[in-house]
Amino acid sequence: MPPANTTARNNTAAWPYPEGEPESGPEAEPMTPQNDIPFAEPVPDWPTAKITWGAAWEFNIYFTGAMFALLSVVALANMIQFARQVGLKSRWYFVALNFLMLLLGVVRTIFMFVDAYNSNGTFPAVLAYFFVSFAFPSLTSAFYILFTTLLKATKLENISPKIYDIKVLVGIISFNYIVALAGDLIAGLYFEGRVALLLCQSVFVIWGLVFSIAYFILFRRLYKKTVSSRKEMTRMSQKMHAGSKGVIAAQEQPRSKMSLGVKVTLLAAVFFLLISALNFYGMVSEFSVLTERTPEAWSWWAYQLTFRLCELGMAFTICFVASPFR
């Protein structure tokens, strides 16, 4: 990979707005306060970078945008189907989970299709930051809902019942979005806000590490619990309904789905860990909000595409586990 461009970024041409020099000459109008904001995450020189990328830029935009649109459709279909399942006790947990993925899909689709990465300066700074950071609270909250739902369903021993409490759930979700929105507002309105944005990134890196590692630790216990419960159910069914294979299969099916859900959630935890690692790398590398360097075009393109693919991988994995159609 070519070395990053070490040219300092122009403080008055900060992302989410494209870099460039103000007009010169007697007829040049003063820049608006919106464009005077000197703070932003580093981006490449847009006109040069787009020429360098060629079709790769279009692929980054339209492929990821289409996949986020598909995510929205899948999540909405899951919500509608769960809403019809009146007898399912945990259906509203899954409705809420899919609703978060629906929001993520819609927000990302708008951002990618209207003005990807705000390369043309279409969105105000605060709104552009909102579009970028929205994935962090959405994925974190969705994974927490899924994790606690699996813990509750398997009735794992030595787990505090407080983590299932609806007040705790609402509190954590609210905290995630408040932190993200606060960082967006501060970063979009004040130069000193870059420090606050860095703190917000740190919060979601910590959340990602805690939740993903916790799931790795508890995975064996969760999976063994579902397998042992399925075996016990099968043994009891064989005694009660000797020779009735249809009844046994019907009773095994929920536990079989739960075992699959526990295994697939492990993949979601892997994606979560990768997202946290990418976020941390962005805090300390040429993509940091504190850097004065302009990122090299291809390294920025690869970093952003990898980030979007990990977000999509985690989101689709969560939707699969929380799907009423499997």
Side-chain angles (χ1 to χ4, degrees):
M1 182 178 296
N5 184 353
T6 57
T7 303
R9 287 182 293 140
N10 187 330
N11 282 342
T12 61
W15 187 76
Y17 305 100
E19 296 185 353
E21 296 295 330
E23 296 180 8
S24 59
E27 296 182 0
E29 297 183 358
M31 298 175 68
T32 63
Q34 172 178 298
N35 288 331
D36 279 338
I37 300 173
F39 159 76
E41 294 186 25
V43 293
D45 178 64
W46 287 118
T48 304
K50 289 180 180 180
I51 294 173
T52 301
W53 292 325
W57 171 241
E58 306 297 326
F59 172 79
N60 193 325
I61 296 173
Y62 295 112
F63 173 75
T64 55
M67 293 304 293
F68 278 112
L70 177 61
L71 174 67
S72 303
V73 174
V74 171
L76 180 61
N78 286 348
M79 288 177 59
I80 294 173
Q81 186 64 19
F82 271 121
R84 294 174 177 175
Q85 297 182 359
V86 181
L88 184 63
K89 294 181 180 179
S90 59
R91 65 180 177 137
W92 293 116
Y93 285 94
F94 291 115
V95 169
L97 192 156
N98 280 285
F99 179 68
L100 294 177
M101 295 298 93
L102 173 63
L103 289 179
L104 173 60
V106 170
V107 169
R108 275 285 191 263
T109 301
I110 293 172
F111 189 48
M112 299 306 292
F113 284 157
V114 175
D115 185 7
Y117 302 101
N118 208 30
S119 60
N120 297 317
T122 302
F123 304 109
V126 173
L127 184 57
Y129 279 112
F130 168 79
F131 282 139
V132 172
S133 67
F134 193 77
F136 297 137
S138 300
L139 291 172
T140 301
S141 301
F143 188 83
Y144 180 77
I145 295 174
L146 181 59
F147 194 179
T148 54
T149 301
L150 290 174
L151 290 174
K152 187 175 182 180
T154 55
K155 299 178 181 179
L156 211 61
E157 297 84 1
N158 301 321
I159 300 296
S160 174
K162 291 183 179 180
I163 66 172
Y164 313 134
D165 190 89
I166 189 66
K167 294 180 181 179
V168 175
L169 181 65
V170 172
I172 289 179
I173 293 175
S174 300
F175 172 80
N176 289 335
Y177 281 100
I178 288 172
V179 166
L181 290 174
D184 297 337
L185 286 171
I186 296 172
L189 298 175
Y190 305 102
F191 174 76
E192 295 79 4
R194 58 182 178 176
V195 177
L197 188 62
L198 200 65
L199 292 175
C200 293
Q201 288 179 287
S202 301
V203 168
F204 289 109
V205 168
I206 293 172
W207 271 136
L209 291 174
V210 169
F211 288 156
S212 57
I213 292 175
Y215 192 83
F216 295 150
I217 293 172
L218 294 175
F219 169 73
R220 288 178 61 88
R221 292 176 59 190
L222 283 168
Y223 186 67
K224 286 182 178 180
K225 186 74 173 180
T226 58
V227 171
S228 62
S229 297
R230 186 175 62 185
K231 289 181 179 179
E232 180 63 21
M233 183 176 292
T234 301
R235 186 183 63 82
M236 294 178 63
S237 298
Q238 288 174 340
K239 288 183 177 180
M240 296 174 62
H241 308 280
S244 181
K245 294 182 180 180
V247 175
I248 295 173
Q251 294 188 4
E252 274 191 338
Q253 190 176 16
R255 287 294 172 178
S256 179
K257 287 184 177 181
M258 188 176 296
S259 298
L260 178 61
V262 169
K263 289 189 290 185
V264 175
T265 304
L266 182 64
L267 181 59
V270 172
F271 280 120
F272 203 2
L273 189 61
L274 289 174
I275 290 172
S276 300
L278 287 169
N279 200 11
F280 178 76
Y281 177 73
M283 293 167 58
V284 299
S285 68
E286 62 184 296
F287 309 116
S288 171
V289 296
L290 300 181
T291 188
E292 293 296 332
R293 296 186 299 170
T294 300
E296 191 273 330
W298 280 112
S299 62
W300 184 91
W301 182 92
Y303 177 73
Q304 295 297 333
L305 180 61
T306 303
F307 223 132
R308 301 293 85 78
L309 292 177
C310 286
E311 291 171 354
L312 285 166
M314 183 176 177
F316 273 110
T317 304
I318 289 174
C319 281
F320 175 80
V321 177
S323 172
F325 298 104
R326 64 182 180 86

